[in-house]
Amino acid sequence: MKISVLTTVALAGIILHSCGKQPAIQLETVKAERGELTETVTATGEVESVTTVDVGTQVTGIIDKLYVDFNSEVTKGQLIAEIEKTLLQSELNSAEANVESARLTYEYNLTNYNRDKALHDKKLISDYEFQTSEKDLQVSKTAYDKAVADRVRAAKNLNYAEIYSPIDGIVISREVEVGQTVVSSMNVANLYTIADLDNMQVIGNVDEADIGRVKVGQDVTFSVDAYPDDLFEGKVTQVRLNPTTESNVTTYEVVVAAANPEHKLIPGLTANLTIYVIREQNLLLLPAQAFKFEPENEPADEKLPRPTGEADRSKLGKDERYVWAVDGQSLVPTIVKIGESNGIRTQIVSGLTDGATVAVGYSAAAAAPGNGDGAQRSPFAPQPPKRNNKK
């Protein structure tokens, strides 16, 4: 029983001795160094081609030949399909025959008109006969002009039977089969969809809280689930002002252009966007803690640097702040002009030189064993009262 009491007293003494140790206080500092300052906005969006063309036919007929299929690479002006030409060729032949008939009628009436005009001038025929001849000439001329126009239309329709690619790209959709009849009425009958995969864009949905910081020309990186290890780059080319509200969440569309030389990006992929609203290189930077630091006039440790003046914030101009520069054993209040900030680090425009040392706070060494729950305590906070140990 005596051994237990002595052991308890000894342990209590050790604990009390360790509790009495004061933690070492240190001044935390940082150096003003140059680096990259970034701030980002995240969004999701869908990948689509900048240029997508539906290729169709303006004439009715039967699909005779298809020269390309899904995923075929095509060039502008390449023949990609043909419609059966027999009926279209017959219409052209008929139109040419009508032109020839109308021409002969017109020339005949023109001859009669010239003859009747000469006779009418000599008062050898009546006004009625001359007017009839003149009317026949005008009617035949109109019929001839109409026949010529019909021939142009028939020739054009025959040309429409050959379908060419309007752009360089890749066939992403084929809507018809050989032998299928396509009917052109008010709308052009669609045969293919061709997309230019060299130049893609992402339509991102940016939250209303972030849209004010998104501007045209900002850098963007994004990833897609199809290639999780690849990071694609682009630029904001358009910020659309038309809002979309769904489930009480309002978003705005932002268009991001991206090159796609390897054709990895395809229409319909979901992209996870990171928009750099701030992305500046080689800026002189300080952490945000430097602007919140307040020195202790009488620090507990006499070895710590002491302030040499006061920070009179009434003298601060626009975009100016105080920091405490470390000069040997002195803390010097220094006015700096700030620039861009991402909330973590801030650009120093003027007031400090590269490598300048600035105070950001005080720190204490870790508490010795037996100091309660081990939580850190401010070196300048009031200390708890000492306990009276009763033996």
Side-chain angles (χ1 to χ4, degrees):
M1 188 67 178
K2 291 182 179 180
I3 295 176
S4 299
V5 171
L6 292 175
T7 303
T8 302
V9 172
L11 289 174
I14 294 173
I15 293 173
L16 291 174
H17 177 72
S18 58
C19 288
K21 291 184 178 180
Q22 295 294 330
I25 302 172
Q26 298 176 344
L27 179 68
E28 293 185 348
T29 62
V30 296
K31 290 185 179 295
E33 296 179 339
R34 294 194 174 271
E36 181 184 31
L37 182 67
T38 62
E39 185 178 7
T40 61
V41 168
T42 59
T44 59
E46 184 175 341
V47 178
E48 62 181 40
S49 174
V50 174
T51 304
T52 302
V53 179
D54 291 330
V55 182
T57 175
Q58 292 182 281
V59 295
T60 298
I62 298 174
I63 298 296
D64 187 30
K65 296 177 182 177
L66 294 175
Y67 296 106
V68 295
D69 203 346
F70 286 94
N71 302 333
S72 297
E73 294 189 10
V74 296
T75 57
K76 184 177 181 179
Q78 178 181 339
L79 180 64
I80 58 177
E82 286 188 40
I83 294 176
E84 209 280 328
K85 299 180 181 179
T86 302
L87 294 179
L88 297 173
Q89 183 64 56
S90 298
E91 291 177 1
L92 177 59
N93 294 340
S94 176
E96 289 177 342
N98 290 337
V99 168
E100 184 63 18
S101 175
R103 183 185 66 82
L104 293 174
T105 302
Y106 169 69
E107 291 178 351
Y108 173 76
N109 288 331
L110 178 60
T111 302
N112 289 340
Y113 170 79
N114 291 332
R115 183 185 66 244
D116 290 348
K117 186 177 184 301
L119 294 173
H120 182 264
D121 292 341
K122 295 178 181 181
K123 309 295 183 180
L124 297 177
I125 61 174
S126 65
D127 291 342
Y128 174 78
E129 290 176 314
F130 175 69
Q131 291 172 356
T132 300
S133 178
E134 186 179 28
K135 183 202 70 173
D136 291 342
L137 176 63
Q138 292 174 348
V139 170
S140 61
K141 177 65 168 63
T142 302
Y144 176 61
D145 292 340
K146 180 179 182 302
V148 171
D150 290 343
R151 181 180 63 182
V152 171
R153 183 174 65 251
K156 199 69 176 177
N157 286 340
L158 181 60
N159 290 335
Y160 285 148
E162 296 179 348
I163 299 161
Y164 299 89
S165 173
I167 62 170
D168 296 337
I170 293 179
V171 177
I172 62 174
S173 175
R174 175 173 60 83
E175 307 293 340
V176 294
E177 301 286 347
V178 173
Q180 181 176 337
T181 300
V182 290
V183 178
S184 177
S185 54
M186 295 298 293
N187 298 320
V188 176
N190 188 40
L191 308 182
Y192 293 102
T193 300
I194 300 176
D196 176 14
L197 296 189
D198 290 331
N199 300 288
M200 304 295 287
Q201 64 184 14
V202 182
I203 308 299
N205 299 309
V206 178
D207 189 84
E208 60 178 325
D210 299 322
I211 194 63
R213 294 181 290 169
V214 178
K215 307 296 180 184
V216 172
Q218 291 173 342
D219 293 333
V220 180
T221 60
F222 63 94
S223 62
V224 295
D225 292 340
Y227 303 98
D229 297 329
D230 292 342
L231 192 64
F232 302 92
E233 296 184 352
K235 282 188 177 294
V236 176
T237 58
Q238 189 179 56
V239 179
R240 296 176 178 173
L241 304 182
N242 185 34
T244 300
T245 302
E246 185 174 348
S247 299
N248 294 325
V249 177
T250 301
T251 59
Y252 292 82
E253 289 186 345
V254 173
V255 181
V256 176
N260 188 33
E262 298 180 2
H263 292 178
K264 288 185 175 181
L265 298 175
I266 56 177
L269 293 178
T270 298
N272 299 308
L273 299 160
T274 300
I275 303 172
Y276 289 87
V277 296
I278 299 176
R279 195 178 196 181
E280 300 289 343
Q281 304 286 341
N282 196 33
L283 299 183
L284 190 63
L285 302 173
L286 278 180
Q289 298 97 307
F291 306 102
K292 301 176 182 178
F293 173 76
E294 291 293 339
E296 292 289 335
N297 290 324
E298 298 294 335
D301 192 334
E302 295 182 354
K303 297 180 181 180
L304 293 176
R306 296 174 181 270
T308 59
E310 294 183 355
D312 187 359
R313 287 177 170 75
S314 64
K315 297 180 180 179
L316 295 178
K318 183 181 180 181
D319 297 330
E320 289 184 339
R321 301 289 187 275
Y322 266 108
V323 295
W324 293 86
V326 180
D327 183 9
Q329 289 299 110
S330 300
L331 292 176
V332 182
T334 305
I335 297 177
V336 296
K337 186 174 183 179
I338 63 173
E340 299 281 3
S341 176
N342 62 2
I344 299 175
R345 297 198 297 173
T346 301
Q347 175 191 6
I348 304 300
V349 178
S350 61
L352 288 178
T353 58
D354 291 24
T357 302
V358 176
V360 295
Y362 294 103
S363 66
N371 187 20
D373 57 1
Q376 288 189 346
R377 183 183 301 274
S378 170
F380 305 107
Q383 300 296 323
K386 295 183 179 180
R387 297 178 180 176
N388 293 322
N389 296 322
K390 297 182 179 180
K391 295 184 179 180

